[in-house]
Amino acid sequence: QLMRRSLSGLLLACVLVGSTVRAEPSAADAATARSLFDEARKLMKAGKYAEACPKLEEGARLNPGIGMRFNLASCWEHLGKTASAWSLYLDVAASAKLANQPAREKEARKAAQALEPLLSSLTIVVDAKVPGLEVKHDGTVVGEGAYGTAVYVDPGTHVVEASAPDHEPWTHKVEIAVKDRIKVTVP
C-alpha cells in the first residue's frame, strides 16, 4: 500500500512537472528564430525598431528563449509600448530566476522598474448590471472581475465597446498618453 501511494505520488509529480515544461523547438524553428533574432538586432542597432519588433515577435513564437524575449521587451520599449515591455521584462526576470541566471534576472527587473513611472492605465467602470452585457477593450472581452480595476495599457488609441440584448451598441475611443490614468464609464 505504501509503495503504491509512493508510486502514485511520483507519477503525479512527473505529470505536473511535465505539463509545465515547454517543448523544445524543432531544429528548423530554432534556426529560423536565430536568423530572425540576428536580423532584428541589426535593425535595432540601426534604430529601426518598427521593423525589428515583428521579427522578434515571430522569433519568440518559434523559440521563446530568455534572450529573445528580453530583446523583444527592449524593442517594444523603444516603440513606446511601455506596458507590454514592462510585463515582458517581468516575465523574463522570472524565467531568468528559474534558469539560475541572476545577471539576466537583475537586468530585466531593473528595466521593468525603470518603466514603472511611465505606465498608463485604463479603468473600465460598469455601474449597471445588464443581462447579457458584453464589454470589450480593443476587441477583447473584458471579464466582469476586471470592471473597476486599473489595467496597465500601452499608450495610444484604445476602443471600449459594450453591447447587450435590447440595447444600442456603444463605442468609445480614448487616447491614452504616457503616465495617463484614464477611467471610462460604460453608460
Side-chain angles (χ1 to χ4, degrees):
Q1 186 68 11
L2 180 60
M3 177 72 114
R4 186 177 298 164
R5 272 192 243 155
S6 296
L7 288 173
S8 296
L10 181 60
L11 180 60
L12 177 62
C14 289
V15 168
L16 291 175
V17 169
S19 68
T20 61
V21 175
R22 183 174 52 232
E24 288 296 316
S26 68
D29 284 351
T32 300
R34 171 49 70 183
S35 296
L36 290 165
F37 178 83
D38 291 344
E39 180 66 20
R41 292 289 298 154
K42 288 177 192 171
L43 291 166
M44 289 171 71
K45 284 181 183 175
K48 297 179 179 180
Y49 296 99
E51 294 175 45
C53 288
K55 293 183 184 309
L56 289 169
E57 289 168 6
E58 178 63 9
R61 185 186 71 78
L62 295 171
N63 188 7
I66 294 171
M68 181 76 76
R69 290 182 298 133
F70 182 89
N71 279 274
L72 177 55
S74 175
C75 196
W76 283 344
E77 179 180 357
H78 282 88
L79 287 182
K81 294 182 173 186
T82 51
S84 295
W86 172 79
S87 180
L88 189 52
Y89 279 134
L90 290 177
D91 287 347
V92 167
S95 294
K97 182 175 184 165
L98 287 173
N100 197 26
Q101 297 179 8
R104 275 192 164 163
E105 177 190 1
K106 183 178 179 180
E107 186 177 5
R109 287 197 193 286
K110 184 177 176 183
Q113 194 172 37
L115 286 176
E116 282 180 11
L118 305 175
L119 292 174
S120 307
S121 67
L122 174 65
T123 304
I124 299 174
V125 178
V126 178
D127 290 331
K129 297 277 186 189
V130 176
L133 176 66
E134 181 177 76
V135 178
K136 292 183 179 180
H137 169 223
D138 293 338
T140 301
V141 174
V142 177
E144 190 175 332
Y147 298 169
T149 300
V151 177
Y152 294 129
V153 295
D154 291 327
T157 303
H158 293 267
V159 179
V160 178
E161 302 170 271
S163 62
D166 302 323
H167 289 76
E168 289 292 319
W170 175 82
T171 301
H172 180 73
K173 285 187 180 182
V174 61
E175 192 66 34
I176 299 178
V178 172
K179 300 182 187 180
D180 273 354
R181 303 286 183 256
I182 303 294
K183 187 179 285 189
V184 173
T185 301
V186 175

